[in-house]
PDB file of all heavy atoms in Angstrom:
ATOM      1  N   VAL A   1      57.995  72.077  28.956  1.00  0.00           N
ATOM      2  CA  VAL A   1      56.776  71.357  29.325  1.00  0.00           C
ATOM      3  C   VAL A   1      55.603  72.024  28.629  1.00  0.00           C
ATOM      4  O   VAL A   1      55.486  73.249  28.635  1.00  0.00           O
ATOM      5  CB  VAL A   1      56.553  71.373  30.848  1.00  0.00           C
ATOM      6  CG1 VAL A   1      55.289  70.603  31.212  1.00  0.00           C
ATOM      7  CG2 VAL A   1      57.761  70.817  31.578  1.00  0.00           C
ATOM      8  N   ALA A   2      54.745  71.223  28.038  1.00  0.00           N
ATOM      9  CA  ALA A   2      53.526  71.739  27.416  1.00  0.00           C
ATOM     10  C   ALA A   2      52.350  70.931  27.951  1.00  0.00           C
ATOM     11  O   ALA A   2      52.445  69.716  28.136  1.00  0.00           O
ATOM     12  CB  ALA A   2      53.611  71.616  25.894  1.00  0.00           C
ATOM     13  N   PHE A   3      51.266  71.625  28.203  1.00  0.00           N
ATOM     14  CA  PHE A   3      50.038  70.975  28.646  1.00  0.00           C
ATOM     15  C   PHE A   3      49.134  70.778  27.438  1.00  0.00           C
ATOM     16  O   PHE A   3      48.955  71.687  26.626  1.00  0.00           O
ATOM     17  CB  PHE A   3      49.306  71.819  29.688  1.00  0.00           C
ATOM     18  CG  PHE A   3      50.059  71.991  30.980  1.00  0.00           C
ATOM     19  CD1 PHE A   3      49.959  73.177  31.680  1.00  0.00           C
ATOM     20  CD2 PHE A   3      50.852  70.982  31.518  1.00  0.00           C
ATOM     21  CE1 PHE A   3      50.625  73.355  32.880  1.00  0.00           C
ATOM     22  CE2 PHE A   3      51.524  71.142  32.710  1.00  0.00           C
ATOM     23  CZ  PHE A   3      51.405  72.329  33.396  1.00  0.00           C
ATOM     24  N   TYR A   4      48.547  69.590  27.346  1.00  0.00           N
ATOM     25  CA  TYR A   4      47.617  69.258  26.275  1.00  0.00           C
ATOM     26  C   TYR A   4      46.270  68.902  26.886  1.00  0.00           C
ATOM     27  O   TYR A   4      46.213  68.293  27.954  1.00  0.00           O
ATOM     28  CB  TYR A   4      48.148  68.089  25.438  1.00  0.00           C
ATOM     29  CG  TYR A   4      49.185  68.522  24.430  1.00  0.00           C
ATOM     30  CD1 TYR A   4      50.448  68.929  24.824  1.00  0.00           C
ATOM     31  CD2 TYR A   4      48.880  68.546  23.074  1.00  0.00           C
ATOM     32  CE1 TYR A   4      51.394  69.351  23.901  1.00  0.00           C
ATOM     33  CE2 TYR A   4      49.824  68.965  22.140  1.00  0.00           C
ATOM     34  CZ  TYR A   4      51.072  69.364  22.558  1.00  0.00           C
ATOM     35  OH  TYR A   4      51.994  69.789  21.637  1.00  0.00           O
ATOM     36  N   LEU A   5      45.212  69.300  26.183  1.00  0.00           N
ATOM     37  CA  LEU A   5      43.876  69.164  26.734  1.00  0.00           C
ATOM     38  C   LEU A   5      42.886  68.728  25.666  1.00  0.00           C
ATOM     39  O   LEU A   5      42.961  69.143  24.512  1.00  0.00           O
ATOM     40  CB  LEU A   5      43.421  70.529  27.288  1.00  0.00           C
ATOM     41  CG  LEU A   5      42.003  70.622  27.824  1.00  0.00           C
ATOM     42  CD1 LEU A   5      41.932  70.065  29.229  1.00  0.00           C
ATOM     43  CD2 LEU A   5      41.537  72.067  27.822  1.00  0.00           C
ATOM     44  N   SER A   6      41.958  67.884  26.089  1.00  0.00           N
ATOM     45  CA  SER A   6      40.736  67.622  25.340  1.00  0.00           C
ATOM     46  C   SER A   6      39.620  67.754  26.365  1.00  0.00           C
ATOM     47  O   SER A   6      39.489  66.917  27.264  1.00  0.00           O
ATOM     48  CB  SER A   6      40.738  66.216  24.726  1.00  0.00           C
ATOM     49  OG  SER A   6      39.435  65.937  24.231  1.00  0.00           O
ATOM     50  N   ALA A   7      38.844  68.815  26.267  1.00  0.00           N
ATOM     51  CA  ALA A   7      37.800  69.088  27.261  1.00  0.00           C
ATOM     52  C   ALA A   7      36.512  68.320  26.965  1.00  0.00           C
ATOM     53  O   ALA A   7      35.681  68.152  27.848  1.00  0.00           O
ATOM     54  CB  ALA A   7      37.511  70.587  27.328  1.00  0.00           C
ATOM     55  N   ASN A   8      36.364  67.851  25.739  1.00  0.00           N
ATOM     56  CA  ASN A   8      35.117  67.197  25.330  1.00  0.00           C
ATOM     57  C   ASN A   8      35.399  65.831  24.729  1.00  0.00           C
ATOM     58  O   ASN A   8      36.378  65.648  23.997  1.00  0.00           O
ATOM     59  CB  ASN A   8      34.379  68.076  24.312  1.00  0.00           C
ATOM     60  CG  ASN A   8      34.080  69.437  24.870  1.00  0.00           C
ATOM     61  OD1 ASN A   8      33.428  69.575  25.890  1.00  0.00           O
ATOM     62  ND2 ASN A   8      34.581  70.474  24.205  1.00  0.00           N
ATOM     63  N   ALA A   9      34.499  64.895  25.003  1.00  0.00           N
ATOM     64  CA  ALA A   9      34.630  63.550  24.452  1.00  0.00           C
ATOM     65  C   ALA A   9      34.718  63.618  22.926  1.00  0.00           C
ATOM     66  O   ALA A   9      34.036  64.419  22.289  1.00  0.00           O
ATOM     67  CB  ALA A   9      33.436  62.698  24.876  1.00  0.00           C
ATOM     68  N   GLY A  10      35.594  62.796  22.365  1.00  0.00           N
ATOM     69  CA  GLY A  10      35.732  62.730  20.913  1.00  0.00           C
ATOM     70  C   GLY A  10      36.708  63.730  20.322  1.00  0.00           C
ATOM     71  O   GLY A  10      36.980  63.685  19.129  1.00  0.00           O
ATOM     72  N   GLU A  11      37.221  64.624  21.130  1.00  0.00           N
ATOM     73  CA  GLU A  11      38.187  65.619  20.643  1.00  0.00           C
ATOM     74  C   GLU A  11      39.604  65.125  20.902  1.00  0.00           C
ATOM     75  O   GLU A  11      39.875  64.513  21.934  1.00  0.00           O
ATOM     76  CB  GLU A  11      37.974  66.957  21.354  1.00  0.00           C
ATOM     77  CG  GLU A  11      36.640  67.603  21.066  1.00  0.00           C
ATOM     78  CD  GLU A  11      36.503  68.052  19.626  1.00  0.00           C
ATOM     79  OE1 GLU A  11      37.492  68.541  19.043  1.00  0.00           O
ATOM     80  OE2 GLU A  11      35.403  67.891  19.070  1.00  0.00           O
ATOM     81  N   ASP A  12      40.513  65.427  19.980  1.00  0.00           N
ATOM     82  CA  ASP A  12      41.919  65.070  20.161  1.00  0.00           C
ATOM     83  C   ASP A  12      42.562  66.004  21.180  1.00  0.00           C
ATOM     84  O   ASP A  12      42.129  67.151  21.355  1.00  0.00           O
ATOM     85  CB  ASP A  12      42.677  65.206  18.836  1.00  0.00           C
ATOM     86  CG  ASP A  12      42.243  64.174  17.804  1.00  0.00           C
ATOM     87  OD1 ASP A  12      41.778  63.088  18.217  1.00  0.00           O
ATOM     88  OD2 ASP A  12      42.364  64.465  16.596  1.00  0.00           O
ATOM     89  N   LEU A  13      43.607  65.502  21.822  1.00  0.00           N
ATOM     90  CA  LEU A  13      44.407  66.354  22.703  1.00  0.00           C
ATOM     91  C   LEU A  13      45.103  67.411  21.866  1.00  0.00           C
ATOM     92  O   LEU A  13      45.691  67.099  20.826  1.00  0.00           O
ATOM     93  CB  LEU A  13      45.444  65.510  23.447  1.00  0.00           C
ATOM     94  CG  LEU A  13      44.905  64.652  24.579  1.00  0.00           C
ATOM     95  CD1 LEU A  13      45.875  63.543  24.919  1.00  0.00           C
ATOM     96  CD2 LEU A  13      44.644  65.514  25.799  1.00  0.00           C
ATOM     97  N   LYS A  14      45.012  68.643  22.312  1.00  0.00           N
ATOM     98  CA  LYS A  14      45.652  69.762  21.617  1.00  0.00           C
ATOM     99  C   LYS A  14      46.297  70.661  22.657  1.00  0.00           C
ATOM    100  O   LYS A  14      45.948  70.610  23.840  1.00  0.00           O
ATOM    101  CB  LYS A  14      44.616  70.544  20.815  1.00  0.00           C
ATOM    102  CG  LYS A  14      44.011  69.723  19.682  1.00  0.00           C
ATOM    103  CD  LYS A  14      43.008  70.502  18.890  1.00  0.00           C
ATOM    104  CE  LYS A  14      42.428  69.593  17.809  1.00  0.00           C
ATOM    105  NZ  LYS A  14      41.147  70.031  17.338  1.00  0.00           N
ATOM    106  N   PRO A  15      47.214  71.545  22.243  1.00  0.00           N
ATOM    107  CA  PRO A  15      47.860  72.435  23.212  1.00  0.00           C
ATOM    108  C   PRO A  15      46.819  73.245  23.991  1.00  0.00           C
ATOM    109  O   PRO A  15      45.902  73.833  23.403  1.00  0.00           O
ATOM    110  CB  PRO A  15      48.732  73.344  22.346  1.00  0.00           C
ATOM    111  CG  PRO A  15      48.995  72.541  21.106  1.00  0.00           C
ATOM    112  CD  PRO A  15      47.737  71.743  20.888  1.00  0.00           C
ATOM    113  N   LEU A  16      46.969  73.240  25.292  1.00  0.00           N
ATOM    114  CA  LEU A  16      46.045  73.944  26.176  1.00  0.00           C
ATOM    115  C   LEU A  16      45.843  75.397  25.741  1.00  0.00           C
ATOM    116  O   LEU A  16      44.718  75.889  25.706  1.00  0.00           O
ATOM    117  CB  LEU A  16      46.591  73.892  27.608  1.00  0.00           C
ATOM    118  CG  LEU A  16      45.840  74.649  28.672  1.00  0.00           C
ATOM    119  CD1 LEU A  16      44.539  73.947  28.989  1.00  0.00           C
ATOM    120  CD2 LEU A  16      46.692  74.766  29.920  1.00  0.00           C
ATOM    121  N   SER A  17      46.922  76.052  25.366  1.00  0.00           N
ATOM    122  CA  SER A  17      46.849  77.463  24.990  1.00  0.00           C
ATOM    123  C   SER A  17      45.999  77.709  23.749  1.00  0.00           C
ATOM    124  O   SER A  17      45.537  78.817  23.518  1.00  0.00           O
ATOM    125  CB  SER A  17      48.248  78.026  24.765  1.00  0.00           C
ATOM    126  OG  SER A  17      48.885  77.322  23.703  1.00  0.00           O
ATOM    127  N   LYS A  18      45.774  76.663  22.961  1.00  0.00           N
ATOM    128  CA  LYS A  18      45.012  76.813  21.710  1.00  0.00           C
ATOM    129  C   LYS A  18      43.537  76.460  21.856  1.00  0.00           C
ATOM    130  O   LYS A  18      42.716  76.910  21.063  1.00  0.00           O
ATOM    131  CB  LYS A  18      45.609  75.913  20.618  1.00  0.00           C
ATOM    132  CG  LYS A  18      47.058  76.157  20.336  1.00  0.00           C
ATOM    133  CD  LYS A  18      47.259  77.355  19.478  1.00  0.00           C
ATOM    134  CE  LYS A  18      48.726  77.442  19.085  1.00  0.00           C
ATOM    135  NZ  LYS A  18      49.132  78.767  18.740  1.00  0.00           N
ATOM    136  N   VAL A  19      43.181  75.629  22.870  1.00  0.00           N
ATOM    137  CA  VAL A  19      41.820  75.097  22.888  1.00  0.00           C
ATOM    138  C   VAL A  19      41.009  75.414  24.141  1.00  0.00           C
ATOM    139  O   VAL A  19      39.792  75.273  24.123  1.00  0.00           O
ATOM    140  CB  VAL A  19      41.815  73.564  22.672  1.00  0.00           C
ATOM    141  CG1 VAL A  19      42.355  73.218  21.297  1.00  0.00           C
ATOM    142  CG2 VAL A  19      42.572  72.832  23.761  1.00  0.00           C
ATOM    143  N   ALA A  20      41.643  75.839  25.220  1.00  0.00           N
ATOM    144  CA  ALA A  20      40.904  76.029  26.473  1.00  0.00           C
ATOM    145  C   ALA A  20      40.155  77.355  26.487  1.00  0.00           C
ATOM    146  O   ALA A  20      40.687  78.396  26.110  1.00  0.00           O
ATOM    147  CB  ALA A  20      41.859  75.968  27.659  1.00  0.00           C
ATOM    148  N   SER A  21      38.907  77.291  26.942  1.00  0.00           N
ATOM    149  CA  SER A  21      38.111  78.512  27.130  1.00  0.00           C
ATOM    150  C   SER A  21      38.556  79.186  28.425  1.00  0.00           C
ATOM    151  O   SER A  21      39.316  78.615  29.212  1.00  0.00           O
ATOM    152  CB  SER A  21      36.625  78.157  27.230  1.00  0.00           C
ATOM    153  OG  SER A  21      36.372  77.473  28.458  1.00  0.00           O
ATOM    154  N   GLY A  22      38.056  80.385  28.664  1.00  0.00           N
ATOM    155  CA  GLY A  22      38.387  81.099  29.898  1.00  0.00           C
ATOM    156  C   GLY A  22      37.984  80.327  31.137  1.00  0.00           C
ATOM    157  O   GLY A  22      38.743  80.232  32.101  1.00  0.00           O
ATOM    158  N   GLY A  23      36.785  79.761  31.119  1.00  0.00           N
ATOM    159  CA  GLY A  23      36.325  78.972  32.259  1.00  0.00           C
ATOM    160  C   GLY A  23      37.149  77.720  32.455  1.00  0.00           C
ATOM    161  O   GLY A  23      37.441  77.321  33.580  1.00  0.00           O
ATOM    162  N   GLU A  24      37.542  77.081  31.367  1.00  0.00           N
ATOM    163  CA  GLU A  24      38.384  75.889  31.465  1.00  0.00           C
ATOM    164  C   GLU A  24      39.765  76.256  31.998  1.00  0.00           C
ATOM    165  O   GLU A  24      40.294  75.548  32.860  1.00  0.00           O
ATOM    166  CB  GLU A  24      38.494  75.217  30.092  1.00  0.00           C
ATOM    167  CG  GLU A  24      37.196  74.551  29.675  1.00  0.00           C
ATOM    168  CD  GLU A  24      37.133  74.219  28.193  1.00  0.00           C
ATOM    169  OE1 GLU A  24      37.973  74.707  27.402  1.00  0.00           O
ATOM    170  OE2 GLU A  24      36.209  73.469  27.822  1.00  0.00           O
ATOM    171  N   LEU A  25      40.333  77.359  31.520  1.00  0.00           N
ATOM    172  CA  LEU A  25      41.641  77.783  32.022  1.00  0.00           C
ATOM    173  C   LEU A  25      41.606  78.036  33.524  1.00  0.00           C
ATOM    174  O   LEU A  25      42.527  77.659  34.251  1.00  0.00           O
ATOM    175  CB  LEU A  25      42.110  79.050  31.298  1.00  0.00           C
ATOM    176  CG  LEU A  25      42.656  78.859  29.896  1.00  0.00           C
ATOM    177  CD1 LEU A  25      42.920  80.207  29.235  1.00  0.00           C
ATOM    178  CD2 LEU A  25      43.925  78.018  29.920  1.00  0.00           C
ATOM    179  N   ALA A  26      40.531  78.679  33.995  1.00  0.00           N
ATOM    180  CA  ALA A  26      40.411  78.957  35.420  1.00  0.00           C
ATOM    181  C   ALA A  26      40.374  77.658  36.212  1.00  0.00           C
ATOM    182  O   ALA A  26      41.070  77.509  37.224  1.00  0.00           O
ATOM    183  CB  ALA A  26      39.155  79.790  35.682  1.00  0.00           C
ATOM    184  N   ARG A  27      39.588  76.703  35.765  1.00  0.00           N
ATOM    185  CA  ARG A  27      39.479  75.438  36.482  1.00  0.00           C
ATOM    186  C   ARG A  27      40.768  74.623  36.397  1.00  0.00           C
ATOM    187  O   ARG A  27      41.154  73.957  37.357  1.00  0.00           O
ATOM    188  CB  ARG A  27      38.291  74.634  35.962  1.00  0.00           C
ATOM    189  CG  ARG A  27      36.977  75.235  36.444  1.00  0.00           C
ATOM    190  CD  ARG A  27      35.786  74.445  35.994  1.00  0.00           C
ATOM    191  NE  ARG A  27      35.462  74.828  34.622  1.00  0.00           N
ATOM    192  CZ  ARG A  27      34.622  74.176  33.849  1.00  0.00           C
ATOM    193  NH1 ARG A  27      34.007  73.098  34.281  1.00  0.00           N
ATOM    194  NH2 ARG A  27      34.362  74.595  32.628  1.00  0.00           N
ATOM    195  N   ILE A  28      41.456  74.684  35.271  1.00  0.00           N
ATOM    196  CA  ILE A  28      42.723  73.960  35.135  1.00  0.00           C
ATOM    197  C   ILE A  28      43.757  74.541  36.085  1.00  0.00           C
ATOM    198  O   ILE A  28      44.475  73.803  36.769  1.00  0.00           O
ATOM    199  CB  ILE A  28      43.212  73.976  33.670  1.00  0.00           C
ATOM    200  CG1 ILE A  28      42.264  73.115  32.822  1.00  0.00           C
ATOM    201  CG2 ILE A  28      44.648  73.489  33.562  1.00  0.00           C
ATOM    202  CD1 ILE A  28      42.375  73.354  31.334  1.00  0.00           C
ATOM    203  N   MET A  29      43.815  75.862  36.178  1.00  0.00           N
ATOM    204  CA  MET A  29      44.756  76.495  37.115  1.00  0.00           C
ATOM    205  C   MET A  29      44.448  76.072  38.545  1.00  0.00           C
ATOM    206  O   MET A  29      45.345  75.730  39.323  1.00  0.00           O
ATOM    207  CB  MET A  29      44.691  78.018  36.987  1.00  0.00           C
ATOM    208  CG  MET A  29      45.508  78.745  38.043  1.00  0.00           C
ATOM    209  SD  MET A  29      47.241  78.290  38.075  1.00  0.00           S
ATOM    210  CE  MET A  29      47.850  79.342  36.798  1.00  0.00           C
ATOM    211  N   LEU A  30      43.179  76.068  38.901  1.00  0.00           N
ATOM    212  CA  LEU A  30      42.781  75.658  40.240  1.00  0.00           C
ATOM    213  C   LEU A  30      43.101  74.182  40.468  1.00  0.00           C
ATOM    214  O   LEU A  30      43.568  73.794  41.546  1.00  0.00           O
ATOM    215  CB  LEU A  30      41.293  75.941  40.456  1.00  0.00           C
ATOM    216  CG  LEU A  30      40.750  75.700  41.852  1.00  0.00           C
ATOM    217  CD1 LEU A  30      41.517  76.488  42.905  1.00  0.00           C
ATOM    218  CD2 LEU A  30      39.268  76.081  41.890  1.00  0.00           C
ATOM    219  N   ALA A  31      42.897  73.350  39.463  1.00  0.00           N
ATOM    220  CA  ALA A  31      43.221  71.922  39.579  1.00  0.00           C
ATOM    221  C   ALA A  31      44.720  71.710  39.767  1.00  0.00           C
ATOM    222  O   ALA A  31      45.143  70.884  40.587  1.00  0.00           O
ATOM    223  CB  ALA A  31      42.725  71.169  38.342  1.00  0.00           C
ATOM    224  N   ILE A  32      45.528  72.452  39.024  1.00  0.00           N
ATOM    225  CA  ILE A  32      46.989  72.336  39.165  1.00  0.00           C
ATOM    226  C   ILE A  32      47.412  72.761  40.567  1.00  0.00           C
ATOM    227  O   ILE A  32      48.188  72.070  41.232  1.00  0.00           O
ATOM    228  CB  ILE A  32      47.712  73.157  38.075  1.00  0.00           C
ATOM    229  CG1 ILE A  32      47.501  72.510  36.702  1.00  0.00           C
ATOM    230  CG2 ILE A  32      49.203  73.281  38.394  1.00  0.00           C
ATOM    231  CD1 ILE A  32      47.947  73.368  35.526  1.00  0.00           C
ATOM    232  N   LYS A  33      46.899  73.885  41.026  1.00  0.00           N
ATOM    233  CA  LYS A  33      47.225  74.361  42.379  1.00  0.00           C
ATOM    234  C   LYS A  33      46.784  73.344  43.424  1.00  0.00           C
ATOM    235  O   LYS A  33      47.491  73.096  44.400  1.00  0.00           O
ATOM    236  CB  LYS A  33      46.573  75.715  42.660  1.00  0.00           C
ATOM    237  CG  LYS A  33      47.237  76.875  41.971  1.00  0.00           C
ATOM    238  CD  LYS A  33      48.609  77.094  42.547  1.00  0.00           C
ATOM    239  CE  LYS A  33      49.220  78.383  42.081  1.00  0.00           C
ATOM    240  NZ  LYS A  33      50.583  78.547  42.603  1.00  0.00           N
ATOM    241  N   SER A  34      45.611  72.752  43.227  1.00  0.00           N
ATOM    242  CA  SER A  34      45.106  71.756  44.174  1.00  0.00           C
ATOM    243  C   SER A  34      45.952  70.489  44.146  1.00  0.00           C
ATOM    244  O   SER A  34      46.249  69.910  45.192  1.00  0.00           O
ATOM    245  CB  SER A  34      43.649  71.421  43.860  1.00  0.00           C
ATOM    246  OG  SER A  34      42.839  72.562  44.029  1.00  0.00           O
ATOM    247  N   ALA A  35      46.330  70.051  42.952  1.00  0.00           N
ATOM    248  CA  ALA A  35      47.126  68.836  42.813  1.00  0.00           C
ATOM    249  C   ALA A  35      48.503  68.991  43.454  1.00  0.00           C
ATOM    250  O   ALA A  35      49.060  68.022  43.979  1.00  0.00           O
ATOM    251  CB  ALA A  35      47.270  68.471  41.337  1.00  0.00           C
ATOM    252  N   LEU A  36      49.023  70.188  43.435  1.00  0.00           N
ATOM    253  CA  LEU A  36      50.366  70.437  43.976  1.00  0.00           C
ATOM    254  C   LEU A  36      50.352  71.004  45.391  1.00  0.00           C
ATOM    255  O   LEU A  36      51.409  71.255  45.958  1.00  0.00           O
ATOM    256  CB  LEU A  36      51.120  71.397  43.046  1.00  0.00           C
ATOM    257  CG  LEU A  36      51.361  70.894  41.629  1.00  0.00           C
ATOM    258  CD1 LEU A  36      52.018  71.964  40.775  1.00  0.00           C
ATOM    259  CD2 LEU A  36      52.197  69.623  41.635  1.00  0.00           C
ATOM    260  N   ALA A  37      49.179  71.185  45.980  1.00  0.00           N
ATOM    261  CA  ALA A  37      49.063  71.858  47.283  1.00  0.00           C
ATOM    262  C   ALA A  37      49.912  71.204  48.358  1.00  0.00           C
ATOM    263  O   ALA A  37      50.524  71.900  49.176  1.00  0.00           O
ATOM    264  CB  ALA A  37      47.598  71.909  47.714  1.00  0.00           C
ATOM    265  N   HIS A  38      49.968  69.888  48.369  1.00  0.00           N
ATOM    266  CA  HIS A  38      50.724  69.194  49.413  1.00  0.00           C
ATOM    267  C   HIS A  38      52.235  69.363  49.244  1.00  0.00           C
ATOM    268  O   HIS A  38      52.995  69.163  50.176  1.00  0.00           O
ATOM    269  CB  HIS A  38      50.343  67.713  49.456  1.00  0.00           C
ATOM    270  CG  HIS A  38      50.757  66.956  48.242  1.00  0.00           C
ATOM    271  ND1 HIS A  38      50.098  67.067  47.043  1.00  0.00           N
ATOM    272  CD2 HIS A  38      51.781  66.089  48.043  1.00  0.00           C
ATOM    273  CE1 HIS A  38      50.691  66.291  46.150  1.00  0.00           C
ATOM    274  NE2 HIS A  38      51.701  65.685  46.728  1.00  0.00           N
ATOM    275  N   LYS A  39      52.680  69.745  48.052  1.00  0.00           N
ATOM    276  CA  LYS A  39      54.110  69.960  47.801  1.00  0.00           C
ATOM    277  C   LYS A  39      54.485  71.437  47.825  1.00  0.00           C
ATOM    278  O   LYS A  39      55.659  71.775  47.868  1.00  0.00           O
ATOM    279  CB  LYS A  39      54.485  69.384  46.446  1.00  0.00           C
ATOM    280  CG  LYS A  39      54.251  67.902  46.342  1.00  0.00           C
ATOM    281  CD  LYS A  39      55.417  67.247  45.703  1.00  0.00           C
ATOM    282  CE  LYS A  39      55.143  65.777  45.563  1.00  0.00           C
ATOM    283  NZ  LYS A  39      56.098  64.991  46.275  1.00  0.00           N
TER     284      LYS A  39
END
């Protein structure tokens, strides 16, 4: 499984590990944990 991200309008989806800033990584981790919290 690979996560792909485009954080800004007009940018192509690219591998998360290559394009996410530290702040974006923190929020993505929190979003994943939140999305899966009920499971």
Side-chain angles (χ1 to χ4, degrees):
V1 181
F3 295 145
Y4 280 70
L5 176 80
S6 169
N8 302 302
E11 296 293 322
D12 292 333
L13 285 161
K14 295 181 182 158
L16 176 72
S17 61
K18 303 281 187 204
V19 296
S21 70
E24 289 164 347
L25 283 173
R27 286 182 278 168
I28 291 163
M29 173 57 84
L30 186 56
I32 291 169
K33 285 293 190 183
S34 297
L36 298 176
H38 67 285
K39 299 225 182 240

